[in-house]
Amino acid sequence: MRKFIIAAIGTILLLLLLIGFRNGFWRQDSLPFDSEQKHLNSQFVINFSHVVAENTPKGLAASKFAELAEKKSDGRIQVEVYPNSLLYSDDDELRALQNGDIQMIAPSFSKMTRLIPKWEVLDLPYLFRDYEDVRRVFTGKAGDALLDMLDKEDIKGLALWSNGFKQITTANKPVRELADLKGLTIRTMDSDMLAKQFELAGARPVKLNFDLVYSRLKNHSLDGEENTISNIYSKGFYQLQKYMTISDHGFLGYAVMMNKDFWKSLPEDLQQDVQEAMEEATLWNLKQSEQMNKDDYQKIKATSGMDIHTLTQQEQKEWEKTFRALHDYYRGEVDADFLKEIEKEIN
Ligand code: LMR
C-alpha cells in the first residue's frame, strides 16, 4: 500500500512538471536587466572601415565620431571602427558600402573619381592655397554639391574630412624641379587626374592600393610616392625613402559616407544624432589635421635621416605653371562651371 501511494504521488508530480513545461511556467519572458545593454533591442551597429592608421586625421576623427554618436544617442548607436584595411581595402570598400556589407567608409576623394569624374576637381594641383581654403570649400556649397552627387549611387554623403597637403618622397634622387621626376616610377591613388599629373612631369605613375605601398617601396618596385606627412609618418614610408620634397602640390581629403538603405533604416531622432555627431567630428578634424601633419613633420625631421627640401617660391611657381594644363583639362573636358564655383568660394 505504501509503495502504491509513493508511486502515485511521484506520477502526479511528474505530470505537474510536464504541464508546467508545456505552458512555459518556468520560462523567463524578459531578459534580466543589464545596464550595459539597456537598448539592446533597438541598438544600431555601424561598422566603419578605413585604410589608414588610427593615429591620423581620419583615424582619430572616426574615433571621435564613434564616441559622439554613441553619447548623443544614449547608446542606441554603436560605432565599430576598423582601421588599417582590416576589413576592406581601397579596391573593395566602395562596393562593400554599396552592397550594404559595411555601413560607413571614408575613402579619399581621388578614389571616388572613377565613380563620379566631377570629383577630380579636388585632385587638381594647387587648387587650395591653405587649410582655410579647404575649410571654406568642404563646408560650403561646393562641398554640399559633391556630397549630393552620391545620392544616385545609393550612398548617403555625410561630410568631407581633411588629411593634409601632399608631398613627394623618392628613394634615390632629390626632386626640386618637376623634370627631376622624369622616368621615375611613382605610386598614386586610383585617379586619372593624379596619373596625368605625374605624366606631365615625365614620370611613370602606378595606381596602387594604399596597403601595398610599404612593401613595394621596400622591394624597390617603386621609386617614390606622393602623400601627406601624416600618412608618410604613420605608415613608415619615411624609413624607406631618402628624399622628401615639401611641395604642397595637392590636397588629400575624404568623402565620409554611409550606405543609403542603412541610413534610411535609422529612426529620425537617430539620423539627427548621427548628423550632429558628424558635424562636431568634422569641425574637430578640420581644426586638428593641420597640426597633426606639422607634428609628424617634426618627428620625421628629428628621427630620420631624410633629406628634406621645401620648394622655393620660384620653384613652386614653375610647378604651378606646368600644372595649369590640368586645370585647363578639367575646364574643357569635365565641368568648367563647377571649377569656377569652387574658385569663387576660395576667393
Ligand atoms: C592613399 O591611398 O594614399 C590615401 O588615400 C590613404 C588615406 O586614406 O589617407
Side-chain angles (χ1 to χ4, degrees):
M1 184 63 182
R2 216 168 140 223
K3 272 188 190 160
F4 173 76
I5 292 171
I6 291 171
I9 291 173
T11 310
I12 290 167
L13 280 175
L14 205 66
L15 273 172
L16 282 174
L17 265 173
L18 275 173
I19 291 166
F21 263 119
R22 286 195 62 156
N23 290 301
F25 294 152
W26 288 278
R27 215 168 38 224
Q28 227 167 357
D29 277 327
S30 55
L31 290 167
F33 177 74
D34 177 351
S35 63
E36 296 300 312
Q37 301 186 8
K38 53 188 168 180
H39 296 297
L40 196 57
N41 292 334
S42 59
Q43 200 174 50
F44 289 82
V45 178
I46 299 176
N47 292 307
F48 185 169
S49 169
H50 68 80
V51 301
V52 293
E54 284 169 286
N55 196 18
T56 55
K58 176 162 64 179
L60 292 175
S63 305
K64 185 95 190 151
F65 165 72
E67 181 192 311
L68 288 166
E70 217 165 304
K71 199 158 138 202
K72 283 180 191 292
S73 66
D74 192 21
R76 287 169 66 207
I77 293 174
Q78 197 192 325
V79 185
E80 302 285 353
V81 183
Y82 297 90
N84 290 314
S85 309
L86 276 173
L87 282 189
Y88 295 99
S89 180
D90 288 332
D91 54 358
D92 54 6
E93 64 177 0
L94 197 50
R95 194 163 318 123
L97 182 82
Q98 287 175 305
N99 290 343
D101 298 332
I102 187 93
Q103 289 72 46
M104 273 182 80
I105 60 171
S108 68
F109 306 142
S110 317
K111 294 167 192 171
M112 298 303 296
T113 56
R114 193 161 295 289
L115 193 65
I116 310 177
K118 261 194 198 184
W119 279 67
E120 282 185 345
V121 74
L122 299 175
D123 274 342
L124 287 175
Y126 295 115
L127 178 70
F128 301 114
R129 290 161 305 188
D130 52 31
Y131 282 87
E132 193 40 50
D133 285 353
V134 173
R135 271 179 219 121
R136 228 174 283 140
V137 172
F138 283 17
T139 55
K141 273 195 196 148
D144 286 345
L146 285 163
L147 293 174
D148 288 346
M149 288 174 207
L150 299 169
D151 194 64
K152 67 174 184 353
E153 306 295 340
D154 284 332
I155 293 170
K156 167 75 184 165
L158 292 172
L160 300 174
W161 284 355
S162 145
N163 180 329
F165 284 91
K166 286 183 290 182
Q167 325 299 346
I168 291 178
T169 66
T170 45
N172 301 313
K173 196 177 161 197
V175 174
R176 283 174 167 258
E177 298 171 11
L178 277 175
D180 294 329
L181 285 164
K182 197 158 188 245
L184 300 188
T185 306
I186 303 289
R187 181 266 172 173
T188 72
M189 293 178 267
D190 186 8
S191 152
D192 287 345
M193 185 61 83
L194 298 181
K196 284 191 182 80
Q197 170 194 274
F198 283 107
E199 277 160 7
L200 265 181
R204 283 194 304 261
V206 176
K207 293 172 184 165
L208 194 69
N209 280 3
F210 185 59
D211 55 349
L212 296 175
V213 180
Y214 185 89
S215 57
R216 300 293 166 85
L217 291 175
K218 194 163 183 187
N219 71 17
H220 307 291
S221 56
L222 291 171
D223 294 309
E225 57 91 48
E226 61 163 2
N227 226 308
T228 61
I229 305 262
S230 117
N231 281 344
I232 292 167
Y233 179 71
S234 61
K235 282 294 172 184
F237 302 159
Y238 72 99
Q239 295 161 344
L240 307 170
Q241 301 268 274
K242 173 88 183 91
Y243 301 97
M244 177 156 69
T245 304
I246 305 298
S247 50
D248 289 341
H249 64 280
F251 198 81
L252 199 163
Y254 305 109
V256 190
M257 317 185 283
M258 190 176 269
N259 171 276
K260 200 161 105 183
D261 287 338
F262 179 80
W263 167 258
K264 285 198 280 190
S265 76
L266 291 175
E268 243 170 64
D269 61 326
L270 291 189
Q271 288 185 348
Q272 180 78 20
D273 292 338
V274 166
Q275 240 145 5
E276 280 175 20
M278 187 50 70
E279 265 164 40
E280 270 184 53
T282 301
L283 289 180
W284 183 88
N285 160 268
L286 290 173
K287 244 198 238 149
Q288 300 295 321
S289 54
E290 181 175 4
Q291 191 56 44
M292 281 182 223
N293 277 287
K294 276 188 186 153
D295 292 347
D296 289 345
Y297 174 79
Q298 291 307 333
K299 288 180 211 156
I300 291 177
K301 219 171 141 193
T303 61
S304 78
M306 254 190 152
D307 186 332
I308 304 175
H309 171 67
T310 303
L311 289 188
T312 63
Q313 273 187 2
Q314 189 51 38
E315 284 166 344
Q316 185 173 320
K317 262 196 194 139
E318 293 299 321
W319 285 44
E320 284 183 37
K321 208 159 102 192
T322 306
F323 285 145
R324 255 180 239 147
L326 297 175
H327 291 239
D328 293 342
Y329 164 81
Y330 190 91
R331 253 182 230 109
E333 304 293 323
V334 190
D335 192 336
D337 290 342
F338 193 46
L339 177 55
K340 206 159 145 194
E341 194 183 317
I342 291 185
E343 285 169 342
K344 225 162 70 193
E345 244 167 29
I346 288 173
N347 293 317

